[in-house]
Amino acid sequence: DADVTQTPRNRITKTGKRIMLECSQTKGHDRMYWYRQDPGLGLQLIYYSFDVKDINKGEISDGYSVSRQAQAKFSLSLESAIPNQTALYFCATSSFEGGELFFGEGSRLTVL
Amino acid sequence: GNSVTQMEGPVTLSEEAFLTINCTYTATGYPSLFWYVQYPGEGLQLLLKATKADDKGSNKGFEATYRKETTSFHLEKGSVQVSDSAVYFCALTPLYNFNKFYFGSGTKLNVKP
């Protein structure tokens, strides 16, 4: 089983719908991240969390919210999805010492 | 500020050709530098890293040397294989914040048999 698991892997939804992407990890890491990948733009940081009580906005947090339910779980929500949120979303983790990100396999979201 | 610039792709090579993917960075102080690889349908995974000037990271035949004087971390491989076809990302973490990563836009490599 993957160390960082994302669900769903693929989702098609309509404009205005609420969507939640979930991430769970078995690496025991404190730090968790949500990134968005668009073709030609690399990865952009949406939110990150250094522990259960610590949530921080990244570069592109508008239109998104997160919840850190436990050390191992970090969810990303789109309260009212819009077409330009169509992208590939990645969850990642790192240890306190840092130095490497461990990624999930990604969640492909299409907003019609 | 911190940023990473890498060469645009796609890069198309024949099997056994020499590969170079250029990466330059802007950062305060001495960042740590990384190359991540993304195979089709998968998440990113660490390929190699270097944490100080003149360090050489290496893995699976790939190498990159941390060049402070040219602020570069170019990825090289002497003989590519079809299985190396993937998207390669250069990234850095600043000296003062090892958990803040800055990624380049990615370079797609296609290797033809």
Side-chain angles (χ1 to χ4, degrees):
Chain A
D1 288 341
D3 294 324
V4 183
T5 303
Q6 294 183 230
T7 56
R9 294 291 312 278
N10 289 283
R11 182 72 183 269
I12 299 173
T13 190
K14 294 183 179 179
T15 297
K17 295 291 188 181
R18 183 178 188 274
I19 294 295
M20 178 180 286
L21 306 179
E22 299 184 327
C23 176
S24 62
Q25 53 114 346
T26 58
K27 299 197 71 69
H29 289 164
D30 290 324
R31 300 172 180 211
M32 299 187 73
Y33 307 77
W34 276 104
Y35 284 91
R36 168 176 170 160
Q37 184 181 25
D38 295 282
L41 292 180
L43 275 74
Q44 298 173 278
L45 183 62
I46 307 173
Y47 271 95
Y48 60 104
S49 170
F50 284 177
D51 67 38
V52 175
K53 296 180 181 179
D54 177 77
I55 303 289
N56 303 281
K57 292 183 177 180
E59 305 162 277
I60 57 162
S61 58
D62 287 347
Y64 302 94
S65 62
V66 291
S67 173
R68 185 82 183 266
Q69 301 95 325
Q71 186 208 33
K73 296 185 182 294
F74 192 37
S75 299
L76 175 72
S77 293
L78 288 67
E79 296 300 326
S80 180
I82 57 177
N84 76 0
Q85 292 178 312
T86 293
L88 185 57
Y89 291 86
F90 285 103
C91 176
T93 74
S94 70
S95 66
F96 174 78
E97 294 79 17
E100 181 179 349
L101 285 172
F102 295 85
F103 285 84
E105 294 180 318
S107 296
R108 185 169 296 281
L109 176 65
T110 302
V111 183
L112 301 177
Chain B
N2 299 289
S3 66
V4 176
T5 302
Q6 54 183 112
M7 63 189 288
E8 289 191 19
V11 173
T12 301
L13 296 173
S14 297
E15 208 166 22
E16 299 183 2
F18 184 85
L19 168 71
T20 299
I21 299 178
N22 291 336
C23 171
T24 57
Y25 67 89
T26 302
T28 304
Y30 297 87
S32 292
L33 301 173
F34 306 82
W35 277 101
Y36 281 83
V37 58
Q38 183 182 26
Y39 297 106
E42 299 183 10
L44 283 73
Q45 55 186 276
L46 182 66
L47 180 60
L48 54 84
K49 67 179 182 181
T51 57
K52 61 182 186 293
D54 300 324
D55 267 3
K56 177 184 285 187
S58 61
N59 186 26
K60 299 181 180 179
F62 291 89
E63 294 183 338
T65 301
Y66 188 143
R67 300 289 188 197
K68 176 79 176 160
E69 63 277 11
T70 55
T71 61
S72 65
F73 192 55
H74 304 322
L75 182 68
E76 295 182 336
K77 186 175 185 182
S79 177
V80 294
Q81 306 301 311
V82 172
S83 57
D84 294 326
S85 297
V87 181
Y88 293 82
F89 292 89
C90 187
L92 69 82
T93 59
L95 175 66
Y96 56 85
N97 188 343
F98 290 117
N99 282 280
K100 197 79 180 292
F101 285 75
Y102 296 84
F103 286 87
S105 57
T107 302
K108 185 172 184 179
L109 170 65
N110 296 315
V111 181
K112 297 184 178 299

